[in-house]
Amino acid sequence: MNRNNSFQRSNTRANFLSNLFFHNSLLMWVVVCNLPVAVLNYTNVQEQEVQLIDLESRRSGESSELRLIHTNSGVFKNSDTFWWFKFNSSDVQSKLIQAKQSGKKVRIKTVGTRIPLFSHYPNILEIH
């Protein structure tokens, strides 16, 4: 009986180590696959001239608001971002509204990439 009990403990230990290895491998795979996406989202800075088509605000909850800007070059968002020290999204939105009303093309500086799976849009940093 002692021998059988010892076998059960070693088998349980082997299962635990196998599960631990599997979960750590899975975690590493997720991190490695998402690392390029994260780097692209914070380093892919572009500047382009666009024609504004529509400005949209989506609310989710009391204080969360997503400002989407539809242009001839795609859809962008306008939000504050700590990473780029951008805390003037209201001022940028005001400039976008003025530019849309005038019908002029504007030059925007954006960061990030469009990832439809996560509903992620490039963020407008500046407008000229």
Side-chain angles (χ1 to χ4, degrees), residues 55-59 65-68 93:
L55 304 173
E56 174 186 358
S57 289
R58 293 183 184 172
R59 281 206 176 275
E65 182 180 18
L66 177 64
R67 298 175 179 143
L68 295 178
Q93 192 72 14

Side-chain angles (χ1 to χ4, degrees), residues 24-128:
N24 284 341
S25 298
L26 184 63
L27 180 64
M28 286 302 296
W29 184 80
V30 168
V31 168
V32 167
C33 288
N34 286 318
L35 191 60
V37 173
V39 168
L40 269 178
N41 278 329
Y42 293 107
T43 59
N44 184 25
V45 178
Q46 295 181 352
E47 204 166 308
Q48 52 192 313
E49 190 170 85
V50 297
Q51 179 70 44
L52 299 173
I53 296 171
D54 192 23
L55 304 173
E56 174 186 358
S57 289
R58 293 183 184 172
R59 281 206 176 275
S60 59
E62 290 288 321
S63 62
S64 180
E65 182 180 18
L66 177 64
R67 298 175 179 143
L68 295 178
I69 294 88
H70 301 268
T71 70
N72 61 336
S73 297
V75 180
F76 302 93
K77 73 177 179 177
N78 176 25
S79 64
D80 292 334
T81 174
F82 180 76
W83 185 263
W84 286 92
F85 299 107
K86 178 195 172 213
F87 304 105
N88 64 343
S89 61
S90 296
D91 297 335
V92 170
Q93 192 72 14
S94 176
K95 289 179 183 178
L96 289 166
I97 291 169
Q98 290 172 357
K100 183 181 179 297
Q101 289 172 347
S102 71
K104 295 180 183 176
K105 285 190 172 188
V106 292
R107 191 147 192 78
I108 59 173
K109 182 178 180 180
T110 62
V111 65
T113 56
R114 173 76 171 110
I115 306 173
L117 179 65
F118 302 118
S119 295
H120 190 271
Y121 303 94
N123 192 13
I124 296 177
L125 295 176
E126 298 173 6
I127 179 172
H128 303 286

